[in-house]
Structure formats: C-alpha cells, structure tokens
Amino acid sequence: MEGVATHAVTAPRATRPAGAGLRLPHLAQVAATTPSVAWFEIHPENFVANPHARELLMTIAQRYPISVHTVGVSIGSVDGIDQAHLARVRELIDELDPVLVSGHLAWSTHQGAYLNDLLPLPYDDETLQLVSSHLHQVQDVLRRPYLVENPSSYLGFGMSTMTEVEFLGELARRTGCGLLCDVSNVFLSGHNMGYDPYRYIDAFPAGSVRELHLGGFTAEDDEATPGGAQILIDTHGTVIAEPVWRLYAYTVRRFGATPTLIEWDNDIPELDTLLAEVQRANTVAAETLTDTTSDVVAR
Ligand SMILES: [Fe+2]
C-alpha cells in the first residue's frame, strides 16, 4: 500500500490493565468514591510536605496498587543526588510499598537549585558512568529497582556517541534498572528530532521494559524557525493524540502486556475524562493482544 509503512511483528497474548496518574485535585474524590481503575501513579514530591494529601493517599493506597514516579530525583545532575530529598522519597516509599518506582533520564537540579524542567543529557561514556553511579545510589537507598524513562526531546548533543536506546540498554545492563517507555515521548521526540518512532520502538531494549506511559502533547510554532515546522511539547494537558494510539498498539505488540499509565498533569480534567483515556488504553491493548487475524500493523 503506497505511503503506508507496515511492520511484521509477533502478537503476544493476555493483557494488563492500565492505570491513571493521581493528581491533587482528584484525591478526595478518589478516596470517597473508589472509581473503577486498576492502579494509580503518584509524584512523591506532591506528598512529602503535604500532610492532608498524604493522609488521603494512604487511604487510597489501602484500596489500589500505587506506583511512584519521581520528578525531583535528578539522576543526570553532575553535582550528585540530593540525599535529603532521596531520604524523604524513601520514607514515603517505605510507607506505601509501591508496585513500581521510576524517574526520568534527565537532570533537573544544579547546585541545590530545583529547575522546573527535565533537561537533556549527552549520550556518551562519561554520562553513562555518571548516571550509572547515581542509579546504583538511588536503588541502594530505595532498596528496589528503579525504572528509567526515555525523555521528551527538543534538542540533542553533537558530542553524543550512542543513540538514546543504546544508552538506555547499557544503563539497564550496568545497573539492573528497569525501563519505562513513554510512547508519547517517543512519538513527539521522533517528530522534533527527525527520527522514525516505529524504528525507535523496534530498537528499544524490550526485555527491560516494565511500564509504559501515554500523555497528551501540544503543537507549537518553533520560535527558532518562524514559519517552519511546529514542535510538539510534552504538556500532559490534553487527550492522547490519534497517531500515538497507533504507536501504542504497535508498542504493545512488540513488548507484550505491560502496565500502562495515562499522564495528565496540566489543565487537569474531570476524573471521568481521565478514566475514559484509561479505558481506551485497556481497549487498545486488549484488541491488539487478542488480534489473531494479522501480524502486521499499519500506521
Ligand atoms: Fe512519562
């Protein structure tokens, strides 16, 4: 079929239910109404200094499996891990006993200052040694494997000597960490950086994948190239885009049944809207994993 690429893949069977990002505006409603969702993921930074939210979280954690996704444990910072922050995260984790713990391949702190962005790293041996050393520390303190997430990318480093998936694979081999594949990040980074997201999924170290993410993005004009192509920003502020659902189906075929999280962090909608996206992830995964009629996915 002209203009449509196809990929032969093996379709694994069985499914795993999707979960939802649990944000502060939904805490009381979730605690009071126990909606039908398999699990929730939290950002520990929202709870370490908020006793009321923490109390609600502990109530919710009695009824649902909880996954912990850190945004302030900066495994890529050259000046090391903030041990005080890591200790606060560990205290919460000890109390919650989460099913998964994860964070980003990025840096977001420098000389004690917390930056509001997840910033990129060059993919070379020096960075690999630094991040591996930090990951060993984090996993030792938290006493469990840490999942590392592929970032959303807007620029790269000319000094990189390996691809992102090669870097992630080597990180997993050296440290025993797992990987979190954010399918939306793969799609938008492919658009922004000019690579094929399907080839990225093909190359991703499937054996280390423990979780998937899906989140909404926003298209914006690139101020650096007025009138040029738009860039896609990882805003987590809207529904999942249709091309990402197709890439998700392809990803599920390649990786098999994998816990999948819907992330929605800005312009947070009514809980029902978020849970409808969770249900769609369940439907896409179930249809993909039970489809015995075709081993070829079109995009
Ligand atoms: Fe993510």
Side-chain angles (χ1 to χ4, degrees):
M1 196 185 310
E2 193 175 349
V4 178
T6 57
H7 307 277
V9 290
T10 302
R13 304 290 168 246
T15 188
R16 285 195 182 192
L22 180 60
R23 304 296 171 250
L24 297 178
H26 293 148
L27 272 185
Q29 185 181 358
V30 169
T33 63
T34 56
S36 176
V37 60
W39 54 283
F40 285 106
E41 184 162 286
I42 62 142
H43 295 166
E45 289 80 3
N46 289 339
F47 297 93
V48 291
N50 187 336
H52 177 61
R54 192 169 177 139
E55 193 178 322
L56 285 171
L57 173 62
M58 292 308 159
T59 301
I60 293 166
Q62 290 172 5
R63 301 166 186 165
Y64 298 93
I66 302 291
S67 165
V68 168
H69 186 57
T70 66
V71 292
V73 177
S74 180
I75 60 172
S77 289
V78 290
D79 49 0
I81 300 289
D82 179 344
Q83 298 295 334
H85 179 68
L86 189 60
R88 289 191 290 269
V89 171
R90 172 177 160 170
E91 188 191 339
L92 184 68
I93 282 175
D94 283 350
E95 202 172 347
L96 275 174
D97 193 22
V99 289
L100 297 168
V101 179
S102 59
H104 303 89
L105 178 60
W107 62 280
S108 57
T109 62
H110 184 61
Q111 296 181 343
Y114 276 78
L115 311 169
N116 245 348
D117 290 296
L118 298 165
L119 297 163
L121 295 162
Y123 300 136
D124 59 14
D125 282 333
E126 186 180 356
T127 311
L128 195 51
Q129 284 183 28
L130 178 88
V131 176
S132 297
S133 162
H134 291 164
L135 264 176
H136 281 304
Q137 288 177 39
V138 168
Q139 293 184 129
D140 285 350
V141 169
L142 300 183
R143 295 180 293 199
R144 61 189 69 217
Y146 192 79
L147 312 186
V148 177
E149 175 178 351
N150 57 299
S152 53
S153 299
Y154 309 94
L155 56 87
F157 289 87
M159 62 195 286
S160 290
T161 56
M162 60 189 93
T163 66
E164 188 168 282
V165 287
E166 288 169 345
F167 189 93
L168 286 165
E170 186 59 20
L171 206 53
R173 193 188 68 77
R174 290 188 184 191
T175 68
C177 74
L179 298 177
L180 192 170
C181 182
D182 188 314
V183 178
S184 297
N185 285 356
V186 173
F187 182 85
L188 72 87
S189 298
H191 172 91
N192 294 340
M193 306 295 288
Y195 64 73
D196 181 343
Y198 287 79
R199 294 281 84 82
Y200 185 104
I201 295 295
D202 287 343
F204 204 86
S208 297
V209 175
R210 302 287 176 268
E211 182 181 348
L212 305 178
H213 272 181
L214 293 168
F217 59 72
T218 307
E220 293 186 7
D221 291 332
D222 184 357
E223 292 175 7
T225 55
Q230 289 191 310
I231 56 172
L232 303 181
I233 310 291
D234 187 28
T235 50
H236 295 177
T238 185
V239 294
I240 315 303
E242 293 304 319
V244 174
W245 284 119
R246 291 194 285 276
L247 183 62
Y248 174 60
Y250 183 81
T251 303
V252 169
R253 275 189 182 251
R254 171 143 202 272
F255 297 163
T258 309
T260 299
L261 180 85
I262 303 296
E263 298 187 285
W264 202 320
D265 298 297
N266 293 295
D267 295 328
I268 294 174
E270 295 293 321
L271 184 61
D272 284 350
T273 303
L274 173 64
L275 297 185
E277 292 288 272
V278 172
Q279 185 51 47
R280 183 162 179 188
N282 284 330
T283 302
V284 171
E287 288 177 355
T288 301
L289 294 169
T290 55
D291 177 9
T292 57
T293 61
S294 173
D295 282 344
V296 175
V297 176
R299 60 182 163 107

